[in-house]
Every structure is written in structure tokens, then in C-alpha cells.
Amino acid sequence: MDKIDEIMSKFISELGYKEAFEMFLKISSGKKLRSKLLLKIAGESEISLKLCAIIELIHLASLLHDDVIDEANIRRGKPSINALFGSKNSVMLGDILYSKAYFELTKFDPSIAAVISDAVSKLSIGEMMDVKMAENFNENEQEYLKMIYYKTAVLIEATAICGAKLAGKDSEKFGIYGKNLGLAFQIVDDILDITQDEKTLGKPALNDFVEGKTTLPYIYLYKSLDEAGKTKLRSLWAKKLNADEISWLKENFDKTSSLSKAISEAKRLGAEAIEAIKEYKNAELEGIIKSMIDREF
């Protein structure tokens, strides 16, 4: 992963603007799930590492914009770029990362450039869908799944497809793997927002619901409640919760098994992902899925 960080830094330093480069260095580095995925499919080479760096720049750009939209001051347990430098600088830095990534992408095979660029268009639509859905309490499971496919899964799907193309493998099967991995990843994140504490999450617990995001566990909970319960849940949506309200939520998640249902959906998606590429007998790719869903929630 250090090699990918070096390539990313080189890309941004080549632009010759010290202020942008210094802001870029303040971005909290993540686990690089997409890069790990691509390298486990295509192996390590100069071209695969450069493609990883491009995809990571795109992902970081989307997070910069996401934090501005959400007015988030914390990212991965550290101050966000908008908290440090202001929203205007954060948006512009995101634009710089997107633009540089696209420039470097033009040097790749057109079929790979097309897959990545199409994914970024959908990713941006997913951001808009997320904002729109936060305007009202959402009880539609399919709308939510479509939104997280666009916002989260589509770039992971594109990464898997491009890795397969670089390696001469079946890109359709790896696309299924990537899509399901991305969906399961987001659902697990939804679950952890409810079950983990602030120290573990690097952000306040139950933050999604407070911000007006009706994630899959809440949709399952809503469908399981009687009318009085539905009314109560709606009344708690998009507001700061007190201790009694948090207790009510957690009690009803337990009573209705809504969290267990969401966990089961993540595991189903994970099993489909593994099945799609079983002929390749790639233990590492199976391990990515299993480590994500075979865990304590």
C-alpha cells in the first residue's frame, strides 16, 4: 500500500501547487479496500499499481465531497479536510483529485477507462440520491439498495472488472463479486453504526439515523413495528437522540431481529460473491468477504 501512496503523492505533486499538495497530505489514509481487491485479482505490476492510485484518488475525492455535503468534521477518527481548511477548499481539492485521476486514466486501455469513468458518473448520482433520500423518512428497501449500489458498490464493482481485464479473467463474474462485496460492505457499515461505540467508529454511534439516513436495519425495523411503533420511529428520525430514545431503538432492534435480518442479507450477498468466482479458487478474495461478514457485530 505504501507504493500506492507514493504514486498518489507523485500524481498530486506533479500539478505543482504546493497548497493543494499540503492539503492532500492531510487526508486520512484508509484501508484501501479497492486497491487490495485489484491487486488480489490482477497481481502487482506497474500498471496495476497506477490503476490502484487512480481509483484511490477517485475514492478520496468522493469522500471529500461527501464530508462537505454531510458537514462532517471527522473522517476516520481525524479532522476532515473541510474542518481543517473549509468547505470551499475541500470541494476544490476533490475536483483536483478527480481531474488528475481522469488525466492519468486517459493513458490506459479505453475499455478500462470507460468502466472507471462510467462508475464515477454513477457514484456522483449516488451522492445526489443519498441527499434526496435524506429529505424524508425512507421505508423503501429497493430505493435504498439502488442508492448504495451507486454510491458505494459501483466503484468496487468497476475495480473488480478492471482487475479481471488486466489479468485476462472473466470480467463479468468478477463484476458480480465486486458488486456484491460493495453492497455487503455498505450494509455491514450500516449495522456497525448501530452496534458499535463512538471510539470504535471514529464518529458518534447511531449517527446515520440522526443525519436523516434511513439505512437497511431501520427499514427492516420499520416494517416489523405496529402502527404506534412506526409513528415513534418516524418521530425519532433526523433528530438528536436522548438516552431513553436510544434505549428504545436498541430494544426494538433486538425484539424484531431487524439487525439479524440485515446481517443475514450481508451474508447472502457475500455468499453470492464467493460463488461467482469459485472456479478461480482465490482464497484471498474469499477471505475479504469472510473477514467482513463472519464477525461479531
Side-chain angles (χ1 to χ4, degrees):
M1 297 301 107
D2 289 342
K3 291 180 182 178
I4 296 166
D5 282 333
E6 287 173 12
I7 297 168
M8 292 165 65
S9 293
K10 181 175 177 290
F11 282 163
I12 304 306
S13 66
E14 286 172 351
L15 297 172
Y17 188 56
K18 180 182 175 183
E19 284 77 2
F21 184 66
E22 288 177 349
M23 277 193 283
F24 170 74
L25 293 178
K26 293 287 186 181
I27 299 175
S28 181
S29 181
K31 296 177 181 177
K32 294 186 175 62
L33 168 66
R34 292 149 196 82
S35 292
K36 291 174 182 175
L37 173 60
L38 193 148
L39 295 178
K40 289 183 192 308
I41 296 170
E44 185 178 321
S45 66
E46 183 181 353
I47 191 169
S48 65
L49 288 170
K50 281 187 176 179
L51 187 56
C52 285
I54 289 167
I55 291 168
E56 293 298 337
L57 284 180
I58 288 167
H59 178 57
L60 289 179
S62 73
L63 296 182
L64 289 172
H65 289 176
D66 198 27
D67 284 346
V68 171
I69 292 166
D70 293 342
E71 298 180 350
N73 292 320
I74 301 293
R75 166 63 63 179
R76 296 167 178 152
K78 296 181 180 180
S80 61
I81 296 300
N82 50 297
L84 292 171
F85 300 102
S87 293
K88 291 179 181 179
N89 279 319
S90 190
V91 169
M92 289 185 287
L93 181 60
D95 290 346
I96 289 169
L97 301 193
Y98 271 134
S99 301
K100 180 60 173 172
Y102 275 128
F103 174 74
E104 296 298 332
L105 196 56
T106 63
K107 302 173 186 178
F108 280 75
D109 183 279
S111 67
I112 287 177
V115 169
I116 298 296
S117 56
D118 180 59
V120 177
S121 297
K122 289 175 179 173
L123 188 158
S124 301
I125 290 170
E127 288 279 7
M128 291 187 71
M129 292 169 69
D130 191 24
V131 172
K132 182 69 175 176
M133 287 178 67
E135 292 176 358
N136 298 287
F137 183 94
N138 174 58
E139 59 186 86
N140 189 313
E141 179 180 349
Q142 293 309 309
E143 282 187 14
Y144 183 72
L145 290 174
K146 182 177 181 181
M147 184 274 290
I148 66 169
Y149 167 59
Y150 272 56
K151 186 180 176 185
T152 302
V154 74
L155 188 57
I156 298 174
E157 177 187 41
T159 300
I161 290 170
C162 290
K165 285 179 177 289
L166 288 178
K169 297 174 181 176
D170 190 320
S171 60
E172 184 176 341
K173 290 179 179 178
F174 278 90
I176 293 169
Y177 173 92
K179 177 181 180 180
N180 281 30
L181 170 62
L183 291 172
F185 176 83
Q186 185 58 58
I187 292 169
V188 166
D189 195 57
D190 295 345
I191 295 164
L192 294 177
D193 180 78
I194 296 165
T195 63
Q196 304 299 304
D197 59 25
E198 182 171 352
K199 184 178 179 181
T200 303
L201 293 169
K203 62 179 181 179
L206 303 173
N207 194 57
D208 289 342
F209 199 60
V210 171
E211 289 185 346
K213 297 178 181 181
T214 320
T215 59
L216 195 62
Y218 292 98
I219 293 171
Y220 286 158
L221 175 59
Y222 183 81
K223 291 180 178 179
S224 300
L225 294 170
D226 59 20
E227 287 306 313
K230 284 181 168 68
T231 300
K232 171 83 170 176
L233 184 61
R234 281 180 173 273
S235 75
L236 300 181
W237 172 76
K239 69 183 284 287
K240 189 172 177 62
L241 303 171
N242 62 39
D244 288 341
E245 291 164 340
I246 291 171
S247 178
W248 183 88
L249 279 172
K250 295 202 169 185
E251 284 175 12
N252 280 278
F253 275 126
D254 288 340
K255 283 181 187 176
T256 62
S257 299
S258 299
L259 280 172
S260 297
K261 187 177 179 182
I263 291 167
S264 294
E265 177 62 10
K267 289 186 174 182
R268 183 190 69 79
L269 289 163
E272 281 188 6
I274 292 171
E275 178 67 22
I277 59 165
K278 65 178 182 180
E279 68 190 77
Y280 292 96
K281 296 181 172 59
N282 191 318
E284 289 184 307
L285 291 181
E286 292 182 13
I288 288 175
I289 296 286
K290 289 176 180 176
S291 66
M292 184 173 63
I293 61 178
D294 293 342
R295 61 189 289 171
E296 290 294 324
F297 288 94

